Amino acid sequence: MSNAVPPLLTALIDDAAVFPPGSAALADAVPAHDGHRASWYSPLIGPLLLPVADLADPVLAGHAHGLGVIGETGAIERALSDPGGLAGLDVRQIESPVAKRGEDPGPGIKRLAALMRAAEKPWDWYFEVPLTWGLMSALDELADLRAEGLRAAAKFRTGGLAAELFPTPVELAAVICACRDREMPFKLTAGLHNAVRHTDAETGLVHHGFLNVLAAVLAAAGGAEPADLSIILGGTDAIPLAEAVRASLERPRPLWVGFGSCSVQEPVADLTALGLLHRPKEHGPTGLTAIGPTTGAERPAGETGGPGERGAGEGPSGERSGDGAQ
């Protein structure tokens, strides 16, 4: 099954089904994640992401796949100090916001770094930094942590309830290059369900495309500057983006760890429609809705649906108990 997923796309999507706007019940999300893990596209899928408050739910007993834990630093601290907080769970990563928009991220980074140093297991830690004042200093602090040998990385939000929560192509290009210059891995979250940049028909908000980001990251790794990346990130035609990505499918993905998405089927459908994933014939039709013609991609024969379609339960990004929408 792994031959269907090339190295460039491996572990690209973390399963954030329980977060808004999908907001799946944990009792449904766990078996669904197991289904993704047993599917032909299994290597594409990263950990199941859960709020720290859900870790005590009995539905997780015996869950065989890795988890990503998301929460405010205080909640993470309490879970780590509780003997039963993370006991028996296969935790792979910790993700926590270090500041609100407009706040100095420095104190939050230091507090979370203290927890990371004290942790008994070598988890990956993602410091969610707002794309506002103090960003570059925050990346310098994270780079210093990595220089200590700590498994620190950055996390950025690419969407939300309001237009100001969506970074412009210029802003996102600048932060990608800043991470490259610091050899800083990063992940993204919110609003990246679809391959190509588009305007949401319901909200009027312009969403980034994960394929745009992937093409931009490849360009950055090749030495491109922010002005070049902003053009790639602003593109709305899937064909040149797909061709740029196709040329690098057999190489490991540079810089970008991946993104959290409350929908797994939408990205899988988009990648399949663009010919970047190839479902083995023995698995039959995808049963997934592919991207529409507004992205410049042709729809495979037999697929239905039109531009601007959303998966079940989709809507504008929201917030849940301090955890960001995916």
Side-chain angles (χ1 to χ4, degrees), residues 221-274:
E225 294 303 320
D228 305 307
L229 269 60
S230 67
I231 295 172
I232 298 171
L233 291 166
T236 56
D237 186 348
I239 300 304
L241 293 170
E243 291 309 308
V245 168
R246 197 184 317 278
S248 297
L249 284 175
E250 296 307 315
R251 62 177 287 191
R253 188 169 58 256
L255 288 173
W256 189 24
V257 177
F259 66 100
S261 176
C262 70
S263 168
V264 168
Q265 290 189 335
E266 284 178 287
V268 170
D270 281 8
L271 289 167
T272 304
L274 291 166

Side-chain angles (χ1 to χ4, degrees), residues 6 19 49 77 85 93 112-113 139 160 162 193 205 214 245 266 275 325:
F19 290 92
L49 301 180
E77 188 173 23
Q93 60 199 49
L112 191 60
L139 294 182
H193 306 158
L205 297 173
L214 187 52
V245 168
E266 284 178 287

Side-chain angles (χ1 to χ4, degrees), residues 69-324:
V69 178
I70 300 178
E72 300 288 340
T73 305
I76 299 296
E77 188 173 23
R78 288 189 293 274
L80 292 176
S81 62
D82 180 357
L86 301 180
L89 299 175
D90 181 16
V91 173
R92 302 289 177 83
Q93 60 199 49
I94 305 287
E95 305 179 18
S96 183
V98 296
K100 297 178 181 178
R101 288 175 62 85
E103 291 182 346
D104 179 4
I109 289 175
K110 291 179 175 60
R111 184 181 178 192
L112 191 60
L115 294 181
M116 180 172 54
R117 291 188 180 96
E120 296 180 358
K121 297 185 179 180
W123 298 310
D124 292 316
W125 292 69
Y126 293 94
F127 293 63
E128 184 180 322
V129 182
L131 296 178
T132 55
W133 177 82
L135 171 61
M136 295 306 167
S137 295
L139 294 182
D140 287 339
E141 289 191 64
L142 295 183
D144 289 342
L145 294 177
R146 292 185 63 80
E148 290 182 36
L150 299 172
R151 299 170 68 94
K155 177 182 175 183
F156 308 112
R157 190 159 294 275
T158 50
L161 281 171
E164 62 266 21
L165 299 179
F166 290 78
T168 67
V170 172
E171 290 170 332
L172 189 53
V175 79
I176 290 173
C177 288
C179 288
R180 175 202 60 196
D181 295 344
R182 293 165 174 79
E183 299 182 348
M184 173 65 60
F186 68 92
K187 69 173 297 190
L188 301 175
T189 191
L192 285 172
H193 306 158
N194 294 109
V196 181
R197 184 175 176 83
H198 65 282
T199 300
D200 185 277
E202 297 177 12
T203 66
L205 297 173
V206 181
H207 286 243
H208 290 283
F210 67 81
L211 196 64
N212 298 72
V213 176
L214 187 52
V217 166
L218 291 169
E225 294 303 320
D228 305 307
L229 269 60
S230 67
I231 295 172
I232 298 171
L233 291 166
T236 56
D237 186 348
I239 300 304
L241 293 170
E243 291 309 308
V245 168
R246 197 184 317 278
S248 297
L249 284 175
E250 296 307 315
R251 62 177 287 191
R253 188 169 58 256
L255 288 173
W256 189 24
V257 177
F259 66 100
S261 176
C262 70
S263 168
V264 168
Q265 290 189 335
E266 284 178 287
V268 170
D270 281 8
L271 289 167
T272 304
L274 291 166
L276 299 173
L277 285 180
H278 298 282
R279 181 185 178 95
K281 292 181 179 179
E282 62 268 24
H283 290 271
T286 64
L288 303 175
T289 301
I291 57 178
T294 53
T295 61
E298 295 183 0
R299 186 180 301 281
E303 294 286 358
T304 59
E309 286 188 340
R310 306 181 70 90
E314 291 291 322
S317 295
E319 299 292 329
R320 174 186 172 184
S321 303
D323 298 321

